[in-house]
Amino acid sequence: METPVSVLGFGSAAGKKEDEGPLSGLFDYISDDNTFGEKTWEKSESRMQQIALSKALANAELDPKKIDLIFSGDLLNQCIGSVFGLREFNIPFIGLYGACSTMAEGIALSCIAIDGGFAEKCAAITSSHFCSAERQFRLPLEYGGQRPQSAQWTATASGAVILGNSEKAPVITHVTIGTIVDMGINDANNMGAAMAPAAADTIKRFFTDTSLTAQDIDLVLTGDLGEQGSSILCELLYREGIDIRQKHNDCGLIIFDRESQDVHSGGSGCGCSAAVLCAHILPRLCDGNLKKVLFVATGALMSPTSQQQGETIPGIAHAVLFQSR
Amino acid sequence: METPVSVLGFGSAAGKKEDEGPLSGLFDYISDDNTFGEKTWEKSESRMQQIALSKALANAELDPKKIDLIFSGDLLNQCIGSVFGLREFNIPFIGLYGACSTMAEGIALSCIAIDGGFAEKCAAITSSHFCSAERQFRLPLEYGGQRPQSAQWTATASGAVILGNSEKAPVITHVTIGTIVDMGINDANNMGAAMAPAAADTIKRFFTDTSLTAQDIDLVLTGDLGEQGSSILCELLYREGIDIRQKHNDCGLIIFDRESQDVHSGGSGCGCSAAVLCAHILPRLCDGNLKKVLFVATGALMSPTSQQQGETIPGIAHAVLFQSR
């Protein structure tokens, strides 16, 4: 960014299981039955986005009319979580599909629009819901299918960030847009392995482009690689001469306790990285406990249809560098 | 745009029925059996995007390495048409979901990235395929369901535009990002009616923001409102004091001959507006036969699931003003 773009506000919403994990008490809104008061899981997900954006607007002390552009998307077919959650705000809307990379994608595009002079204030939002994702991508919940240890648990969560210009708040100084990377993984129960090469590619390009090193960063925070994907990422980068092992964490490993919460390889979903960012990381950038965080949301660009037709799972990752004041 | 963004190249691909319509001979590539050499309709759609982008790159005389960002999306669940069609180009990728508004959305974001100084050259691409759309959104083709007269026919088509800076080519001077507009239409066989209010809203805002009038424009080109949606749009704007009746046409009415091709209210799909733009409109802007074209791609932001759950059909429309040199 020519002029660093500021974080004016942020908000989050999550389900019961998420509030029972390590971030208990940090989310702005919890639905104890995961329905968020709605009759279908898809409508619950929409309501979650609406709540997260409302909380972010309140945190930023802004009226929806002050927001020039919303960037949003989610995992549901045709992104209905975003559309039906956000239509009432009456804000110009840019629909995204970046799978679980959406939060970084939306923040990066918001920064481009603001620093380019096309918008004063933007919002980036995304969500995922365990129940809507399971029935759309995998099996009906009632089936009670078993999950291998490499599988991840889709977080029921949403996060929203308001971006603009301010002299106080944490800022975004750099963004790196990811390239689709497909290393031939085709196991939909091992998304971390499918996404790790894309994360490695983006992080490497980020360090090359900025001349920064892992030593300059407090935290390299990937979106939802989980346990298996995280170890692959660190190994891939280590082989390239980039050692992030002491600096890396993953939102999928932060949001749940793998020992006690039976989530196997960790959390996943667009909402996982969005809610960890908004409930846990941005507050620590605000109070100065973190100085420089490279947020790298990771997406698996597949569908049940592409899987059934024998396709591999391409990954993508977008990176955003947050800095405290 | 502070500096108008130039159209450096464009390309299109289409199916047999599209090549039998009024634009016969204008598309860069035709698949006579609509398979584009692939074994599934989804893979056919991916191949179509790959071909359209390759044709656009050839037309612009550019190597893929010269493109800084791709903006793409489509109608398929999780946008697999775009992902699998474009992964081999190895270009930083921004996935969009704007339903049939995607072409204008991608062009608008490309302009923002280029004029903001974040990219030198971008590509905007989208597609739709009659056979993949029918089985995903409606019924298997084998069922042979009847269609009401308000229904539209999803075009099997793709279009790609390369944008950057040049002193020769047609330029984009203004873009207007649309707001989600939902007037309560819930008939999935009348998408034109669902999208027309969004188009009216965006066009009205465009004229207000730019102080231009319909008299200043050669052509107001909507994406896929079809016969019914087009008449609703003209009526809605007329009531607001904006008379576009002599200036308006719709890509869904241009791509097919409604009398002889049995398409009822007209063509639709992301690829409809993209291919009409690239095969028919941009060449006429290049040769000066058209001077000012307001391209307004229109999207219906619904899914089969949202329909089954009793939701209405929100619409969206993004506008891009093309001008010849």
Side-chain angles (χ1 to χ4, degrees):
Chain A
M1 300 305 116
E2 214 161 286
T3 307
V5 172
S6 304
V7 177
L8 305 182
F10 40 86
S12 60
K16 183 164 183 279
K17 187 182 180 89
E18 290 68 26
D19 194 44
E20 291 167 351
L23 303 187
S24 179
L26 298 182
F27 303 107
D28 294 318
Y29 184 97
I30 298 295
S31 172
D32 282 333
D33 61 1
N34 299 322
T35 67
F36 294 83
E38 298 290 335
K39 287 188 180 167
T40 73
W41 297 126
E42 290 76 17
K43 292 187 184 189
S44 303
E45 185 167 345
S46 289
R47 182 69 64 193
M48 200 165 43
Q49 282 211 21
Q50 191 185 51
I51 292 166
L53 179 55
S54 298
K55 294 286 181 186
L57 287 165
N59 180 246
E61 297 179 8
L62 285 172
D63 187 271
K65 286 182 190 144
K66 296 287 184 188
I67 307 299
D68 299 309
L69 290 172
I70 288 185
F71 292 87
S72 178
D74 57 85
L75 290 170
L76 297 181
N77 296 344
Q78 288 74 55
C79 297
I80 55 171
S82 307
V83 168
F84 292 100
L86 305 174
R87 68 179 156 181
E88 282 158 29
F89 288 98
N90 203 27
I91 298 170
F93 177 85
I94 294 187
L96 305 179
Y97 185 76
C100 305
S101 73
T102 303
M103 196 59 177
E105 183 184 353
I107 292 172
L109 289 172
S110 295
C111 291
I112 287 173
I114 292 166
D115 195 37
F118 296 91
E120 280 190 16
K121 295 181 179 70
C122 294
I125 307 146
T126 189
S127 63
S128 54
H129 195 297
F130 177 76
C131 302
S132 60
E134 282 298 305
R135 74 168 163 198
Q136 181 185 276
F137 284 99
R138 297 176 192 95
L139 294 161
L141 289 178
E142 293 79 358
Y143 180 77
Q146 296 214 1
R147 308 151 60 86
Q149 287 302 316
S150 59
Q152 293 171 245
W153 186 280
T154 306
T156 297
S158 177
V161 175
I162 313 289
L163 298 158
N165 287 305
S166 154
E167 301 204 341
K168 283 189 207 156
V171 291
I172 294 160
T173 53
H174 299 77
V175 306
T176 299
I177 301 296
T179 297
I180 300 172
V181 177
D182 189 339
M183 299 296 279
I185 303 286
N186 59 10
D187 179 1
N189 278 309
N190 195 352
M191 295 289 199
M195 298 187 289
D201 180 71
T202 298
I203 292 169
K204 189 185 163 195
R205 284 201 291 120
F206 169 84
F207 283 131
T208 305
D209 291 352
T210 59
S211 304
L212 291 168
T213 70
Q215 265 45 59
D216 302 316
I217 310 278
D218 292 339
L219 175 63
V220 176
L221 182 69
T222 47
D224 55 352
L225 296 179
E227 180 68 17
Q228 304 213 1
S230 291
S231 67
I232 295 169
L233 169 68
C234 290
E235 174 72 22
L236 286 173
L237 285 174
Y238 189 73
R239 287 190 205 167
E240 298 271 354
I242 300 168
D243 187 357
I244 63 164
R245 290 173 302 177
Q246 302 306 314
K247 302 294 181 117
H248 175 258
N249 208 337
D250 182 76
C251 296
L253 299 174
I254 293 173
I255 198 165
F256 295 122
D257 180 330
R258 288 176 60 240
E259 297 298 315
S260 66
Q261 290 191 292
D262 194 31
V263 295
H264 299 351
S265 191
S268 68
C270 304
C272 175
S273 60
V276 170
L277 180 72
C278 294
H280 180 49
I281 302 300
L282 289 175
R284 292 174 68 198
L285 279 158
C286 284
D287 66 20
N289 278 321
L290 283 169
K291 303 284 185 203
K292 280 195 175 72
V293 175
L294 184 64
F295 175 65
V296 190
T298 42
L301 300 170
M302 48 74 74
S303 80
T305 302
S306 69
Q307 282 287 106
Q308 285 159 7
Q309 295 183 357
E311 268 295 356
T312 51
I313 303 176
I316 195 159
H318 305 295
V320 174
L321 183 65
F322 288 95
Q323 302 198 40
S324 65
R325 294 278 186 175
Chain B
M1 301 306 115
E2 215 161 285
T3 307
V5 173
S6 304
V7 177
L8 304 182
F10 40 86
S12 60
K16 183 165 182 279
K17 187 182 179 90
E18 290 67 25
D19 194 45
E20 291 167 351
L23 303 187
S24 180
L26 297 182
F27 302 107
D28 293 319
Y29 184 97
I30 297 296
S31 172
D32 282 333
D33 61 2
N34 298 324
T35 67
F36 295 83
E38 297 291 336
K39 287 188 180 167
T40 73
W41 298 126
E42 290 74 18
K43 292 187 183 189
S44 304
E45 185 168 344
S46 289
R47 182 68 64 190
M48 199 164 43
Q49 282 210 20
Q50 192 185 51
I51 293 167
L53 178 55
S54 298
K55 294 287 182 187
L57 287 165
N59 179 246
E61 298 179 9
L62 284 172
D63 187 270
K65 285 182 191 143
K66 296 288 183 188
I67 308 299
D68 299 310
L69 290 172
I70 289 184
F71 293 88
S72 178
D74 57 85
L75 290 170
L76 296 182
N77 296 344
Q78 288 74 55
C79 297
I80 55 170
S82 307
V83 168
F84 291 100
L86 305 174
R87 69 180 154 180
E88 282 159 30
F89 288 98
N90 204 26
I91 299 170
F93 177 85
I94 295 187
L96 306 179
Y97 185 77
C100 305
S101 72
T102 303
M103 196 58 177
E105 183 184 354
I107 293 172
L109 289 172
S110 295
C111 290
I112 288 173
I114 293 166
D115 195 36
F118 296 92
E120 281 191 15
K121 295 181 179 69
C122 294
I125 307 145
T126 189
S127 63
S128 54
H129 195 297
F130 176 76
C131 302
S132 60
E134 282 298 304
R135 75 169 162 197
Q136 181 184 277
F137 284 99
R138 297 175 192 97
L139 294 161
L141 290 177
E142 294 78 359
Y143 180 78
Q146 296 215 359
R147 306 151 61 85
Q149 288 301 317
S150 58
Q152 292 171 247
W153 186 279
T154 306
T156 298
S158 176
V161 175
I162 313 290
L163 298 159
N165 287 303
S166 154
E167 300 204 341
K168 283 189 206 157
V171 290
I172 294 160
T173 52
H174 299 76
V175 306
T176 299
I177 301 296
T179 297
I180 300 172
V181 177
D182 190 337
M183 299 297 279
I185 303 287
N186 59 10
D187 179 0
N189 278 309
N190 195 351
M191 295 288 198
M195 298 188 288
D201 180 71
T202 298
I203 292 168
K204 189 184 165 196
R205 283 200 293 120
F206 169 84
F207 283 131
T208 305
D209 291 352
T210 58
S211 304
L212 291 169
T213 70
Q215 266 44 60
D216 301 316
I217 310 278
D218 293 339
L219 174 64
V220 177
L221 181 69
T222 47
D224 55 351
L225 296 179
E227 180 68 17
Q228 304 213 1
S230 292
S231 66
I232 295 169
L233 169 67
C234 290
E235 174 72 22
L236 287 172
L237 285 174
Y238 189 73
R239 287 189 203 167
E240 299 271 353
I242 299 168
D243 187 357
I244 63 164
R245 291 174 300 177
Q246 303 305 314
K247 303 292 181 122
H248 175 258
N249 208 338
D250 182 75
C251 296
L253 299 174
I254 292 173
I255 199 167
F256 294 123
D257 181 331
R258 288 176 60 239
E259 298 297 315
S260 66
Q261 291 193 290
D262 194 31
V263 296
H264 299 348
S265 192
S268 68
C270 304
C272 175
S273 60
V276 169
L277 180 72
C278 294
H280 179 50
I281 302 299
L282 289 175
R284 294 174 66 199
L285 279 157
C286 284
D287 67 20
N289 278 322
L290 283 169
K291 304 283 187 204
K292 279 196 177 71
V293 175
L294 184 64
F295 176 64
V296 190
T298 43
L301 298 170
M302 48 75 73
S303 80
T305 302
S306 69
Q307 282 287 106
Q308 285 158 8
Q309 295 183 357
E311 268 294 355
T312 51
I313 304 175
I316 196 159
H318 305 295
V320 174
L321 183 65
F322 288 96
Q323 302 198 39
S324 65
R325 293 280 186 173

